[in-house]
Amino acid sequence: MPRTPVSTAGAPAAIGPYSQATRAGETVFLSGQIALHPDSGELVEGGIRAQARRAFANLEAVCAAAGGSLDDVVRVGLYLTDLGEFAEVNAVMAEVFAEPYPARSTIGVAALPRGAAFEVDAVMVLS
Ligand SMILES: C=C(N)C(=O)O
């Protein structure tokens, strides 16, 4: 099955050799989003909540470009450089997603691109 790239100016351009998302049939694989502002390409300021909100907003823009929405997301992966900030990320995720929530894995990592504190990736199934 061919992989069809998804591209939008509503989310930051890829910072390496990957697509913002790829679609295979009705399944969309969304690349990791960090808190880069789509216009400036710079990491937003303001701490973990601001970073999480921007990263989820970027993800939402890619969902929309693929013809879906966050309601179509079936799984997310969260990556934090400090699991001490887990509660704050949970609070932002609860603002962004409605129940029933997607499946999720959360992983503490040593570092993320561009010095980000948070990254989210996702799988979406179009309905
Ligand atoms: C930000 C990314 N998704 C990357 O570098 O893979």
Side-chain angles (χ1 to χ4, degrees):
M1 181 176 290
R3 60 172 181 257
T4 304
V6 176
S7 180
T8 176
I15 57 173
Y18 63 93
S19 300
Q20 290 171 323
T22 56
R23 179 172 175 172
E26 298 309 301
T27 304
V28 182
F29 299 87
L30 293 102
S31 293
Q33 286 292 338
I34 56 176
L36 299 178
H37 195 282
D39 297 334
S40 67
E42 300 294 324
L43 199 66
V44 300
E45 296 181 356
I48 188 66
R49 281 187 187 244
Q51 286 206 24
R53 286 196 182 103
R54 183 70 255 168
F56 281 119
N58 292 342
L59 193 77
E60 189 170 17
V62 180
C63 287
S69 75
L70 290 177
D71 288 341
D72 300 307
V73 169
V74 295
R75 180 190 182 278
V76 293
L78 308 185
Y79 309 89
L80 288 79
T81 57
D82 179 0
L83 284 173
E85 296 178 324
F86 192 34
E88 291 184 86
V89 169
N90 273 330
V92 175
M93 185 164 165
E95 292 171 3
V96 169
F97 284 95
E99 294 190 57
Y101 296 126
R104 187 180 90 175
S105 298
T106 301
I107 301 170
V109 296
L112 289 166
R114 301 280 176 91
F118 175 73
E119 180 166 339
V120 55
D121 60 22
V123 178
M124 176 172 77
V125 178
L126 297 170
S127 49

